[in-house]
Amino acid sequence: MAGHGIARKTIWDAAADIRSGALKVLLPDWIESEPGIYAVFQQNRYMPPRVRALLDFLIDRFQRVADEILAGLPAPLEAVQEGSID
């Protein structure tokens, strides 16, 4: 941000700085889909309802926040998101 070079950052980390003009997107064709947030838990046949409820809540909340963060910013290529690069 002080003009010292190029960095690869996640959109979660860079969105506010891009909007403020402190950072610029230099290679928009090379933006990758964000892997997102991972929930790690022990998987077995029975998932307690409280764990399923928490996962559903987190999925919904992070999707809404991601949509707000990404609004108006350069997005990954559609082909990359769909996994069908020609």
Side-chain angles (χ1 to χ4, degrees):
M1 290 184 29
H4 295 290
I6 299 172
R8 183 182 185 284
K9 299 180 87 169
T10 67
I11 198 63
W12 294 93
D13 186 34
D17 293 325
I18 293 170
R19 278 206 180 81
S20 74
L23 289 177
K24 291 172 127 181
V25 176
L26 296 179
L27 302 168
D29 292 343
W30 290 91
I31 294 174
E32 295 183 30
S33 292
E34 296 286 334
I37 307 296
Y38 293 96
V40 179
F41 57 93
Q42 182 176 355
Q43 187 174 1
N44 58 26
R45 286 195 213 202
Y46 176 73
M47 180 184 293
R50 67 182 176 269
V51 173
R52 180 77 257 166
L54 174 62
L55 292 174
D56 291 341
F57 169 79
L58 292 173
I59 289 167
D60 179 61
R61 178 60 60 102
F62 279 106
Q63 185 59 54
R64 282 190 280 138
V65 170
D67 291 344
E68 292 171 12
I69 287 173
L70 295 173
L73 294 178
L77 295 173
E78 294 299 321
V80 172
Q81 288 178 341
E82 296 171 7
S84 60
I85 299 174
D86 293 340

